[in-house]
Amino acid sequence: MWVNPFKRDGAGFVGVVASMPRNFSNLASGDRLAFQKKDIADWTYVIGERRKGNYTGCALLAKEPPDQYEALKKRYGLDCSD
């Protein structure tokens, strides 16, 4: 699940659930969520038109045929070079 926007809140963070959580029946898109740094498994940020991070998306794309891999990387602006 993605949380965006979010901000620091004391020693942790607080933000808005931006996608439908699959593994948490008590959360929904739009809910406010408090979390700690240790809870972060993936992240993404945008520089210009390139999206950095999103290692989960890059791992899923790696299973696609090469032509679809490149098309999807371009469509979503993913930079999977890390």
Side-chain angles (χ1 to χ4, degrees), residues 2 41-42 53-61:
W2 292 99
D42 198 358
N54 197 350
Y55 298 107
T56 304
C58 289
L60 291 171
L61 279 182

Side-chain angles (χ1 to χ4, degrees), residues 43-64:
W43 49 266
T44 188
Y45 64 91
V46 178
I47 298 177
E49 294 184 16
R50 300 201 57 103
R51 193 174 291 273
K52 298 292 284 181
N54 197 350
Y55 298 107
T56 304
C58 289
L60 291 171
L61 279 182
K63 295 181 179 191
E64 297 296 330

Side-chain angles (χ1 to χ4, degrees), residues 3-79:
V3 178
N4 185 40
F6 67 92
K7 64 181 179 179
R8 279 218 172 261
D9 184 36
F13 303 90
V14 64
V16 177
V17 177
S19 61
M20 185 55 103
R22 293 184 192 177
N23 299 321
F24 300 95
S25 60
N26 60 331
L27 286 174
S29 183
D31 285 353
R32 185 173 184 264
L33 178 68
F35 59 99
Q36 301 294 313
K37 184 176 180 179
K38 68 177 180 58
D39 298 321
I40 300 171
D42 198 358
W43 49 266
T44 188
Y45 64 91
V46 178
I47 298 177
E49 294 184 16
R50 300 201 57 103
R51 193 174 291 273
K52 298 292 284 181
N54 197 350
Y55 298 107
T56 304
C58 289
L60 291 171
L61 279 182
K63 295 181 179 191
E64 297 296 330
D67 60 326
Q68 291 181 18
Y69 173 83
E70 289 302 324
L72 288 166
K73 262 182 37 178
K74 184 176 180 179
R75 178 178 177 188
Y76 294 108
L78 292 175
D79 182 351

